[in-house]
Amino acid sequence: MANIQPFKALRPQVTLAKQVASRPYDVLNSKEAKEAALENPYSFLHITKSEIDLPDTTDIHSAEVYAKAKENLDAFIKNEVLFREAKPCYYIYQLVMQGRSQTGLVCVSSVNDYENDVIKKHEFTRPEKEQDRINHIKTSGAQTGNVFLAYRSNAAIDNIVENWKTKHTAAYDFTAEDGIAHTIWIINDDEQINNITTLFEQEIECTYIADGHHRAASAAKVRKALGAAATKEADYFLTTLFPSAQLQILDYNRVVKDLNGLSEEVFLKALETDFIVAKKEAPVKPAQLHEFGMFINHQWYHLIAKEGTYTTDPIGVLDVTILSNNVLDKLLGIKDQRTDKRIDFVGGIRGITELEKRVNSGEMKLAFSLFPVTIDQLFNIADSGNVMPPKSTWFEPKLRDGLLTHLISA
């Protein structure tokens, strides 16, 4: 069963919360982070992307970068931009995007649960990305990146969260520059804290990583590396848990550089072996599973996977698997999407027009739009012990870094 705990969050002064809150470190490159933090000395990007405060020639994975993150974090604390909660608390984090609301519980989750598969995974991690976060956590003494977990909805937990929101004033409430509203309440009542801990311990069999596989893996490896020097705080890592009924997974689309030596005519003909193919005047955003859009040479096509061309096991039935097996691998020679430089991925938040733009610019030869993976598919795959193909899910809205940080150094 799920072991979660309250924690003493390191968090910003109310008047500075909007300025501190920053987009996750892994959705911005160094140049974008530098621009985002320009003229904002309170941006948490000075900690999560600390290379922005060093010369542009600095290796972003050098010890100098991690030392700068520690220096900046210490300065934020010394100057009282950030302060530490007086007692362990749970936190309610509500996000509203385009009128749609979702509410999660911010807590720390057990590293033992991660290692024992009570926290289930659905993606492989990349060693170089893990090492970056390991170095950042060990040097800074802080888990600055939140791991987005999902769990099967539970009415009792929902009631506690909604009642608290109704009866208490939020600690933070602001709308970021991208139009997403962020509201956080603090659950500091001992009885409710115990009730929440007990509900997860007795009624939530497992949780699922929706976003943040590298952050979770890094937290576990930091504890192992610290050995006897690890604090009890290092036994847990920063998470926000969302009930499945509130989650929305967006499509994660593909763009490809070339046709692997095939002519367009031959490629289109070859597609007909596994798909029903039809030209379309308007952009194709798939309306259901096993439908795909394809854009090539200023023309959209609607593809429907033929029955019998895919398996029905948890992995085989995924549209990302069907596309991978019957198009990317079979026709275009793309064997490993994690490493092949001929393919790139476009989150659904960017819209269908981004696919047209990438192809029309000449940068890419063709694009595919997919129907989003469902939360039930994600759960089924994780429960089966399998992993999804890379870049299968895109969750929005994103949690902001800097609002709630977990210190493991004290």
Side-chain angles (χ1 to χ4, degrees):
M1 307 301 281
N3 175 8
I4 68 166
Q5 295 292 320
F7 70 108
K8 297 179 182 180
L10 182 69
R11 60 187 183 90
Q13 303 290 347
V14 173
T15 55
L16 296 176
K18 184 174 180 179
Q19 292 167 272
V20 170
S22 68
R23 294 170 64 193
Y25 77 94
D26 55 353
V27 302
L28 297 167
N29 61 35
S30 299
K31 181 180 178 181
E32 290 169 336
K34 194 165 191 173
E35 291 174 354
L38 191 66
E39 299 181 357
N40 180 7
Y42 303 117
S43 172
F44 206 67
L45 289 169
H46 293 289
I47 294 159
T48 56
K49 299 285 288 183
S50 54
E51 68 269 17
I52 66 177
D53 295 325
L54 296 170
D56 291 344
T57 55
T58 304
D59 179 353
I60 65 171
H61 297 126
S62 66
E64 186 180 5
V65 170
Y66 305 115
K68 188 64 176 177
K70 171 64 172 171
E71 178 187 328
N72 288 346
L73 180 61
D74 288 346
F76 272 40
I77 296 171
K78 179 181 179 180
N79 296 328
E80 298 184 345
V81 175
L82 303 175
F83 68 96
R84 191 149 188 213
E85 202 77 64
K87 62 174 287 186
C89 299
Y90 285 123
Y91 304 83
I92 298 170
Y93 192 155
Q94 175 185 280
L95 303 104
V96 180
M97 175 181 168
Q98 298 175 353
R100 184 183 178 279
S101 173
Q102 65 184 54
T103 302
L105 180 75
V106 187
C107 60
V108 289
S109 293
S110 168
V111 169
N112 287 341
D113 279 3
Y114 174 83
E115 293 178 339
N116 295 328
D117 209 33
V118 175
I119 298 172
K120 295 183 178 291
K121 306 88 176 167
H122 68 266
E123 286 184 4
F124 287 124
T125 55
R126 292 165 54 186
E128 69 275 12
K129 291 189 69 176
E130 280 187 20
Q131 192 60 51
D132 171 57
R133 285 303 97 183
I134 290 169
N135 292 340
H136 194 280
I137 295 170
K138 286 179 66 178
T139 305
S140 68
Q143 295 163 352
T144 59
N146 210 316
V147 178
F148 183 156
L149 297 182
Y151 63 95
R152 288 186 169 86
S153 297
N154 178 283
I157 296 171
D158 289 348
N159 287 337
I160 291 176
V161 169
E162 292 306 315
N163 286 338
W164 192 274
K165 286 166 59 178
T166 300
K167 297 177 181 179
H168 296 82
T169 301
Y172 304 124
D173 188 9
F174 63 90
T175 300
E177 69 284 348
D178 57 4
I180 297 173
H182 301 259
T183 310
I184 292 177
W185 293 262
I186 302 170
I187 302 179
N188 52 14
D189 177 78
D190 289 340
E191 181 179 358
Q192 293 293 11
I193 288 172
N194 290 334
N195 286 341
I196 291 170
T197 305
T198 301
L199 279 169
F200 273 89
E201 186 177 65
Q202 294 182 350
E203 299 191 19
I204 304 301
E205 183 177 351
C206 59
T207 59
Y208 301 80
I209 299 178
D211 192 10
H213 283 80
H214 291 91
R215 295 187 285 277
S218 300
K221 290 184 177 179
V222 165
R223 183 183 72 164
K224 183 177 181 180
L226 291 173
T231 64
K232 66 177 183 178
E233 286 83 4
D235 288 335
Y236 292 85
F237 62 102
L238 181 63
T239 58
T240 299
L241 284 71
F242 288 91
S244 56
Q246 295 192 27
L247 293 181
Q248 179 184 36
I249 305 178
L250 299 186
D251 44 308
Y252 216 153
N253 303 309
R254 274 82 169 126
V255 287
V256 180
K257 287 184 179 293
D258 59 66
L259 295 180
N260 195 33
L262 300 176
S263 68
E264 184 177 327
E265 181 181 3
V266 170
F267 173 69
L268 290 171
K269 185 66 177 176
L271 283 174
E272 294 178 357
T273 301
D274 297 316
F275 300 89
I276 299 169
V277 182
K279 282 187 177 183
K280 295 292 179 180
E281 294 298 322
V284 178
K285 187 174 178 62
Q288 59 186 0
L289 291 170
H290 307 337
E291 291 186 1
F292 305 82
M294 185 180 73
F295 185 68
I296 181 172
N297 194 19
H298 307 287
Q299 176 67 55
W300 277 98
Y301 293 84
H302 182 225
L303 312 181
I304 302 175
K306 295 179 180 179
E307 289 189 15
T309 62
Y310 53 88
T311 60
T312 57
D313 61 273
I315 294 292
V317 76
L318 292 175
D319 285 350
V320 288
T321 303
I322 295 170
L323 182 70
S324 178
N325 291 344
N326 295 343
V327 182
L328 300 178
D329 183 351
K330 182 178 178 180
L331 302 181
L332 300 178
I334 296 172
K335 306 293 184 183
D336 187 345
Q337 295 180 55
R338 291 190 300 163
T339 59
D340 199 309
K341 302 300 184 184
R342 297 168 54 224
I343 189 169
D344 199 7
F345 308 89
V346 180
I349 191 68
R350 295 182 177 271
I352 290 291
T353 55
E354 180 68 14
L355 300 180
E356 293 182 338
K357 178 183 175 183
R358 297 284 295 273
V359 173
N360 289 338
S361 69
E363 175 196 1
M364 295 291 177
K365 180 67 176 179
L366 73 165
F368 296 95
S369 58
L370 286 78
F371 190 75
V373 171
T374 68
I375 193 69
D376 285 336
Q377 286 181 318
L378 186 153
F379 285 174
N380 288 340
I381 287 166
D383 286 341
S384 72
N386 287 303
V387 294
M388 290 185 179
K391 307 295 185 182
S392 295
T393 58
W394 182 282
F395 287 88
E396 286 286 350
K398 303 287 188 187
L399 302 164
R400 289 272 163 150
D401 285 346
L403 293 174
L404 300 164
T405 296
H406 180 224
L407 297 179
I408 66 165
S409 57

